[in-house]
Amino acid sequence: MTLRNIDALFSGARATVFGRTTTPAQTQLLANLTSSADDDVMHVTARAHRARLPAQPGPCAVILDPRWGKPDIIAALAEAGCRAVVWAAPKRIGDDVLRAARPTNMRLLGGRTAGVFDTRNGLNMTTLASLPRPGKVALISQSQSLTAAAVDWALGRNLGFSWLACTGAEADIDAADLLDHAALDPRTRAVVLQIGEIAEPRKFMSAARAAARVKPVLVLQTRADRPGTPPGPDPARSAAFARAGLVECENLGGLFDGLAALELLPSVRQDRVMVLGNGAGVCALGTDALRRAALTPAEAGSDTVEKLGEVAPRAHNTGAGIDLASSDIPETLAALRLALADRSVDAALLVHSPVAGHPHEPMVEAIADAKLDARLMTVWLGLHTALPARAASAQARLATFASADEAARAIHYRRSYHEAHELLTATPPPDPTVTADAGAIRHRLHVLAEDGVEWLSAEDTQETLAAYGIVGGPSGRAGADPSIRVRIEVIDHPELGMVMRVTDESLGVAPAYGFAPLDALLARRMLEGASAGRLSATVEAVEALAQALVRLSKLVVDIAEITRLDLHLAIGPHGRLHTPTDTLIEITADPRPPRRRLAMSPYPARMRHRVTLRDHRTYIVRAIHPSDEPLVLDLLESLSPEEIRLRFFNTIRHFSHDMAARMTQIDYDREVSLVISPAKRPGELTAMGTIIADPDGREAEFAVLVHHAHTGVGLGRHLLDCLLRQAHARGIGTVYGEILADNRPMLELARSLGFTIRRSLDDATSVRAEIDVARYRNAELPPPQDSDDAP
């Protein structure tokens, strides 16, 4: 299916309900819808029949009776203009219904859904007994019960949602679709996500990465108990979440605390938190909670300590925080203002005990009226008087938590997002060179598997590993003295496909998980996880093992016939690998489809080719790689101011790491970005071009840049031709680009390739160039010269 038409669920336009209510959930849904939509709801209670469909059912339908969900009725609804359906019928959505909806891209939410509600538009199509408040955080859940619990909890804390959606059984619309919707929604500041099952790993990871690049995403995983699976969160899923840049919450309480942080706390990039309390004991309580959450208790600066004596003479610095002692309310407020103004403080935590003469509620009222900085978190200890104090705090929109540990956990999640975001954009070093003939190895293993071989022989195993540069002497040789001993397994995960698992055999810690493809930075993270950060090996040994992991991930990507690998590696202090002879590699002649086998899109090596253009100039064209960031920055910095203006529509004096990372660290599922180098100088970039598809792959925007020293030889034409061919191969219907009206060379190039040029509706200084990709591919245009598919 496609992302298109999901907007119909959030449009706030009229809806038509088909069928009578038969369950309490359906009754609640109908009541919610009619009370929120005034006269914009049409309820059809007659027996299901195509002839009884209203002439204009509206953009969204709710099906209560499965007899209204027959394929011919679904097709007729689509023809009448209905674009989305909330499937509230007790019967599951059949494949025949999905097939009937597919030609028009009608979307279906459910079955077993709790519905959808955009709090800003007014149509409440949920089974929820409580009305969610408006907010800035989107809630995406696969569970009806957890959706109801999250809404009830949020109401108790006076928190709201920009919108919420429960995908249920996910016959069509899934969590990935809604993550894409959230990423593109300018009114959603952050996302809270509950995942119980990942049906399409590549689609989920692609959407999760896209969302996490632009806003925080907190995730809670739940899973049904299956025979042979250990209790608790799936560590492979946790690794997938981390790889995508999501921040995982360990339990439902943590998810709620994270929601409070996202809704109420401003962005916190560091973790220096100052604790204040009305007693030395509660200060110590807060400081201990911060340390348990791996946060840094902030110490007051000398100016703050000096001023503290003036505004709150009974308060003092205990080393574990500011003990407000018996300070009255004005003195406490003055101390809080001082703490929040301290430049060495990122947030402040007030832990308040209901000691004699210092009840909670007057303090809550005073803080609310003072309208202090939003970086203040409060904890009201106790229960009897604490409950009304917390309720009053929530009503005043204060960041209030039931304990110091919950407050620390909330700010930890806030900071973790920034760490995850930095890892998403970190620049890796170049991958190690691998010269393996992947095609020959695949063919050999496929023949062996068809002949009934399940496990490779020791000789075939060593030959396969050696082809990828994983070689070394026997691990038992004299003088080996390994610095690190690890076990590396490649396993077939039921949801996520091929997963790499690394265990440090010298330490009794849980293994670390990762996904191919890996770069050196990701491999080092895996090693740190496998040793719980306690690696004591030499730099050479760690680097050698990281390189071996990268090479193994390349093997996993290239050779689909491998379904399992079990390898023990010993690394000497000087980086020498020692490989034992008991490595096991299991193979199959019937591997999973690529999108089910690999959760992450691999580097498209097959796009690489050589081309000879005018003046007999030969160039290398290839897909961009994350390690190309320095080369991209060199290219951008060498451009003239006019070239920069024509490409970026603006004057840019300095190109930042963040900008270059966005151009080099792309999602190969959604983007194609090609770079061109002179054949004699492969370490220099002369041109680059990109198409970025929308989430549903219907349209893609292009951009092309050629350095002035290489114009006039046909680089731009060849580059744009390659991009259009890639768009056709991916099923993209339309490619378009915004071009400055005075950029004559680019306009001439676009016209020569068949683009239609028309005035831009948004900017009078630019035009829109657009082409039907199918028509372009049918045109008789010369193919790229001297091209090949060599990886």
Side-chain angles (χ1 to χ4, degrees):
M1 286 289 195
T2 163
L3 185 64
R4 294 184 187 275
N5 290 330
I6 285 182
D7 62 303
L9 295 171
F10 302 95
S11 66
R14 68 185 187 281
T16 303
V17 182
F18 294 93
R20 299 179 184 275
T21 61
T22 58
T23 68
Q26 290 180 340
T27 302
Q28 185 67 60
L29 188 155
L30 183 60
N32 289 341
L33 189 52
T34 53
S35 64
S36 64
D38 298 326
D39 298 327
D40 290 333
V41 174
M42 182 186 302
H43 189 188
V44 180
T45 58
R47 294 180 61 184
H49 195 281
R50 179 171 180 165
R52 294 190 176 93
L53 285 177
Q56 294 181 330
C60 190
V62 178
I63 292 182
L64 305 177
D65 186 340
R67 288 172 292 188
W68 277 104
K70 294 178 180 178
D72 61 328
I73 296 179
I74 291 293
L77 276 172
E79 291 172 5
C82 183
R83 298 191 291 128
V85 172
V86 175
W87 189 275
K91 183 181 177 182
R92 61 179 290 272
I93 301 175
D95 292 339
D96 55 347
V97 173
L98 297 175
R99 286 193 296 268
R102 189 167 291 118
T104 56
N105 288 323
M106 175 192 274
R107 306 308 306 274
L108 294 98
L109 182 68
R112 299 198 304 274
T113 175
V116 60
F117 181 28
D118 189 322
T119 61
R120 302 156 299 189
N121 288 333
L123 274 187
N124 183 356
M125 295 184 288
T126 72
T127 62
L128 302 172
S130 302
L131 181 67
R133 291 188 176 95
K136 298 178 181 179
V137 179
L139 171 64
I140 303 170
S141 173
Q142 293 178 331
S143 165
Q144 297 182 65
S145 56
L146 290 180
T147 302
V151 169
D152 191 78
W153 180 91
L155 286 170
R157 296 285 289 271
N158 198 26
L159 302 177
F161 300 100
S162 55
W163 53 265
L164 59 90
C166 173
T167 60
E170 295 191 348
D172 174 25
I173 296 174
D174 59 16
D177 292 320
L178 294 170
L179 279 170
D180 279 322
H181 181 77
L184 298 172
D185 181 7
R187 295 174 294 177
T188 292
R189 191 175 69 182
V191 182
V192 173
L193 172 67
Q194 176 267 322
I195 286 291
E197 182 178 2
I198 301 174
E200 297 185 49
R202 185 82 68 86
K203 179 183 178 184
F204 173 80
M205 292 295 286
S206 182
R209 281 168 56 88
R213 279 183 177 273
V214 295
K215 54 195 68 174
V217 181
L218 297 184
V219 60
L220 171 69
Q221 64 161 306
T222 57
R223 59 174 182 167
D225 289 334
R226 296 188 180 96
T229 59
D234 182 341
R237 273 194 194 168
S238 297
F241 296 153
R243 179 75 176 265
L246 311 187
V247 178
E248 185 174 7
C249 304
E250 65 271 24
N251 53 41
L252 190 61
L255 187 71
F256 292 156
D257 292 335
L259 171 59
L262 294 177
E263 176 74 9
L264 298 174
L265 290 177
S267 177
V268 178
R269 292 183 178 272
Q270 299 186 54
D271 59 3
R272 301 167 302 179
V273 182
M274 180 178 289
V275 177
L276 300 94
N278 58 340
V282 295
C283 286
L285 189 73
T287 301
D288 290 344
L290 294 177
R291 292 198 173 103
R292 282 192 292 272
L295 301 175
T296 304
E299 295 186 8
S302 56
D303 289 347
T304 299
V305 173
E306 181 178 346
K307 293 178 181 177
L308 183 67
E310 299 173 4
V311 301
R314 286 171 285 188
H316 59 281
N317 187 2
T318 67
I322 302 297
D323 179 7
L324 298 168
S326 56
S327 300
D328 59 23
I329 288 179
E331 292 170 342
T332 298
L333 294 177
L336 290 173
R337 288 193 182 95
L338 270 181
L340 291 166
D342 194 317
R343 292 186 177 181
S344 64
V345 174
D346 299 304
L349 172 62
L350 172 65
V351 185
H352 194 270
S353 176
V355 297
H358 293 271
H360 287 320
E361 292 198 62
M363 185 63 72
V364 174
E365 184 177 353
I367 291 175
D369 291 341
K371 300 189 182 302
L372 300 176
D373 192 303
R375 293 175 297 134
L376 173 65
M377 298 177 291
T378 61
V379 172
W380 309 100
L381 296 178
L383 186 63
H384 177 64
T385 60
L387 287 177
R390 292 171 197 159
S393 293
Q395 193 63 34
R397 300 281 293 169
L398 301 178
T400 296
F401 301 89
S403 69
D405 283 288
E406 290 183 6
R409 181 168 57 183
I411 202 167
H412 171 76
Y413 290 147
R414 209 63 169 102
R415 186 202 63 180
S416 295
Y417 166 69
H418 293 289
E419 294 177 348
H421 191 267
E422 288 175 2
L423 288 172
L424 276 180
T425 59
T427 306
D431 288 345
T433 301
V434 174
T435 58
D437 187 343
I441 295 174
R442 281 195 300 268
H443 177 71
R444 178 167 56 86
L445 298 192
H446 189 81
V447 170
L448 289 173
E450 284 190 326
D451 288 341
V453 175
E454 295 183 3
W455 298 89
L456 291 186
S457 66
E459 181 180 352
D460 285 333
T461 295
Q462 291 300 319
E463 183 179 341
T464 301
L465 293 177
Y468 282 82
I470 306 166
V471 294
S475 59
R477 289 182 59 180
D481 190 21
S483 180
I484 312 175
R485 290 183 183 273
V486 298
R487 180 183 182 185
I488 305 172
E489 300 167 273
V490 178
I491 58 176
D492 193 356
H493 189 275
E495 285 183 336
L496 299 167
M498 305 306 290
V499 177
M500 301 181 70
R501 180 167 62 195
V502 178
T503 307
D504 189 327
E505 296 188 305
S506 63
L507 296 171
V509 299
Y513 292 78
F515 300 86
L518 290 175
D519 57 44
L521 290 178
L522 294 169
R524 290 177 197 139
R525 281 185 62 198
M526 282 189 69
L527 294 176
E528 292 170 358
S531 62
R534 298 200 293 266
L535 278 175
S536 57
T538 63
V539 173
E540 293 89 345
V542 174
E543 185 59 27
L545 185 51
Q547 294 290 312
L549 279 171
V550 175
R551 293 175 183 273
L552 272 174
S553 79
K554 174 67 172 168
L555 171 64
V556 171
V557 169
D558 288 347
I559 314 301
E561 283 71 17
I562 294 178
T563 59
R564 185 181 174 190
L565 182 147
D566 194 342
L567 168 68
H568 295 257
L569 275 182
I571 314 294
H574 300 294
R576 179 176 171 81
L577 272 68
H578 305 280
T579 57
T581 58
D582 60 347
T583 299
L584 299 175
I585 296 181
E586 185 178 8
I587 61 175
T588 180
D590 186 25
R592 282 197 196 192
R595 294 186 65 84
R596 301 286 299 175
R597 183 175 172 273
L598 297 174
M600 302 294 298
S601 179
Y603 177 75
R606 290 186 176 276
M607 292 183 188
R608 180 185 178 93
H609 62 272
R610 297 168 68 91
V611 60
T612 301
L613 301 171
R614 297 170 200 158
D615 299 333
H616 303 288
R617 296 194 193 185
T618 302
Y619 296 88
I620 298 172
V621 185
R622 60 176 176 82
I624 203 165
H625 190 274
S627 61
D628 288 327
E629 182 182 326
L631 301 183
V632 169
L633 284 172
D634 288 344
L635 172 62
L636 297 176
E637 296 290 350
S638 69
L639 298 175
S640 68
E642 179 65 2
E643 287 176 296
I644 293 173
R645 184 186 71 85
L646 292 176
R647 168 61 181 85
F648 297 101
F649 288 38
N650 206 343
T651 299
I652 302 175
R653 297 181 180 276
H654 172 70
F655 291 94
S656 65
H657 157 71
D658 287 343
M659 185 175 184
R662 180 64 192 89
M663 300 173 74
T664 56
Q665 301 192 32
I666 67 171
D667 182 346
Y668 300 116
D669 270 339
R670 301 185 178 195
E671 301 178 44
V672 177
S673 189
L674 300 176
V675 292
I676 298 182
S677 303
K680 295 181 180 179
R681 301 188 302 279
E684 171 188 325
L685 299 186
T686 61
M688 59 188 302
T690 302
I691 54 172
I692 303 176
D694 54 19
D696 59 19
R698 283 287 194 85
E699 294 185 341
E701 183 176 8
F702 82 88
V704 171
L705 171 66
V706 179
H707 190 273
H708 57 264
H710 296 267
T711 57
V713 299
L715 269 187
R717 182 182 183 88
H718 180 77
L719 193 52
L720 191 49
D721 174 68
C722 291
L723 294 174
L724 291 172
R725 291 171 185 270
Q726 285 295 323
H728 180 267
R730 292 163 181 253
I732 295 172
T734 302
V735 170
Y736 69 93
E738 297 292 328
I739 303 173
L740 284 176
D742 61 344
N743 190 349
R744 290 185 178 180
M746 192 66 233
L747 289 172
E748 291 175 1
L749 171 61
R751 287 192 180 99
S752 72
L753 290 173
F755 280 80
T756 300
I757 310 297
R758 51 191 174 88
R759 188 177 303 173
S760 173
L761 298 178
D762 300 323
D763 184 358
T765 65
S766 66
V767 297
R768 179 182 172 98
E770 185 177 295
I771 191 169
D772 183 324
V773 176
R775 290 180 59 189
Y776 172 78
R777 289 293 295 145
N778 291 331
E780 294 182 0
L781 292 175
Q785 302 178 48
D786 298 340
S787 63
D788 63 77
D789 287 330

